[in-house]
Amino acid sequence: DADVTQTPRNRITKTGKRIMLECSQTKGHDRMYWYRQDPGLGLRLIYYSFDVKDINKGEISDGYSVSRQAQAKFSLSLESAIPNQTALYFCATRGREALEQYFGPGTRLTVT
Amino acid sequence: GQQVMQIPQYQHVQEGEDFTTYCNSSTTLSNIQWYKQRPGGHPVFLIQLVKSGEVKKQKRLTFQFGEAKKNSSLHITATQTTDVGTYFCAGADSWGKLQFGAGTQVVVTP
């Protein structure tokens, strides 16, 4: 959806570097999510936020942190990137009433 | 915790044939959602099933939710090349958090 944008779309970084992935949405949704996708593993939840003051860990939060700067912005940080964090990262949003999630285009991250 | 398993992982289909992908949860689900991801794309919501035994159709796609709300299936009839992609089921808990299956990657041979 063009309503959910992610930057950068592709990134190559070195082990030990700090990196931030950004997500913005114009859908007016209060719920935002970060997932990572690895071949054969589907999408796994890293962090989620129900509003600006509510941040929750998902099933694979170790090595990641997030910041909800505003209702429309949710950033994912890798404090010290490692090669097994190489993956495709998706941001998603959801409205309060509806249950479906809307995904951004994804960020392909490679850690060398 | 909740686990969602999806089979098969890969499905090669001749154009015009039918196929089914299955989704099973270790726990009872509040609802189940299906998403499709085209090659190089992002997951796109297809449908949501909420009621026990619910069946919904979208053109050639038929979605079913099991009576015990622990399993679901997606059946595609007369497969077309536009059906290529990976189909994910996602089980929702009472908080609306989704647990995705690993997906079924569908390849269509003309």
Side-chain angles (χ1 to χ4, degrees), chain A residues 76-110:
Chain A
L76 176 72
S77 293
L78 287 67
E79 297 301 326
S80 180
I82 56 177
N84 77 359
Q85 291 177 313
T86 292
L88 186 53
Y89 289 84
F90 286 104
C91 171
T93 73
R94 199 201 107 184
R96 192 168 300 182
E97 299 301 326
L99 296 177
E100 67 266 30
Q101 295 187 13
Y102 295 84
F103 285 79
T107 294
R108 186 167 296 280
L109 176 66
T110 304

Side-chain angles (χ1 to χ4, degrees), chain B residues 11-20 36 60-61 74-85 87 106-110:
Chain B
Q11 181 77 58
H12 287 80
V13 190
Q14 195 92 25
E15 193 172 12
E17 290 183 342
D18 302 353
F19 77 91
T20 304
K36 177 182 178 180
R60 294 177 296 101
L61 278 60
L74 160 59
H75 181 78
I76 299 182
T77 58
T79 304
Q80 299 178 359
T81 54
T82 53
D83 295 323
V84 164
Y87 294 82
V106 176
V107 175
V108 181
T109 307

Side-chain angles (χ1 to χ4, degrees), chain A residues 45-63:
Chain A
L45 183 63
I46 306 172
Y47 270 95
Y48 61 104
S49 169
F50 285 169
D51 65 39
V52 175
K53 295 182 181 178
D54 181 63
I55 305 286
N56 303 280
K57 292 183 177 181
E59 61 178 298
I60 54 162
S61 59
D62 287 350

Side-chain angles (χ1 to χ4, degrees), chain B residues 82-95:
Chain B
T82 53
D83 295 323
V84 164
T86 301
Y87 294 82
F88 294 98
C89 63
D93 63 17
S94 55
W95 294 96

Side-chain angles (χ1 to χ4, degrees), chain B residues 44-108:
Chain B
V44 174
F45 174 80
L46 291 177
I47 208 159
Q48 171 187 291
L49 304 168
V50 180
K51 298 176 184 175
S52 169
E54 189 170 15
V55 178
K56 287 188 176 181
K57 291 189 176 185
Q58 284 182 351
K59 297 182 181 178
R60 294 177 296 101
L61 278 60
T62 301
F63 303 84
Q64 189 164 3
F65 202 8
E67 293 290 340
K69 300 184 75 172
K70 294 178 74 173
N71 63 285
S72 181
S73 64
L74 160 59
H75 181 78
I76 299 182
T77 58
T79 304
Q80 299 178 359
T81 54
T82 53
D83 295 323
V84 164
T86 301
Y87 294 82
F88 294 98
C89 63
D93 63 17
S94 55
W95 294 96
K97 227 162 70 243
L98 294 180
Q99 179 81 34
F100 281 83
T104 294
Q105 185 178 343
V106 176
V107 175
V108 181

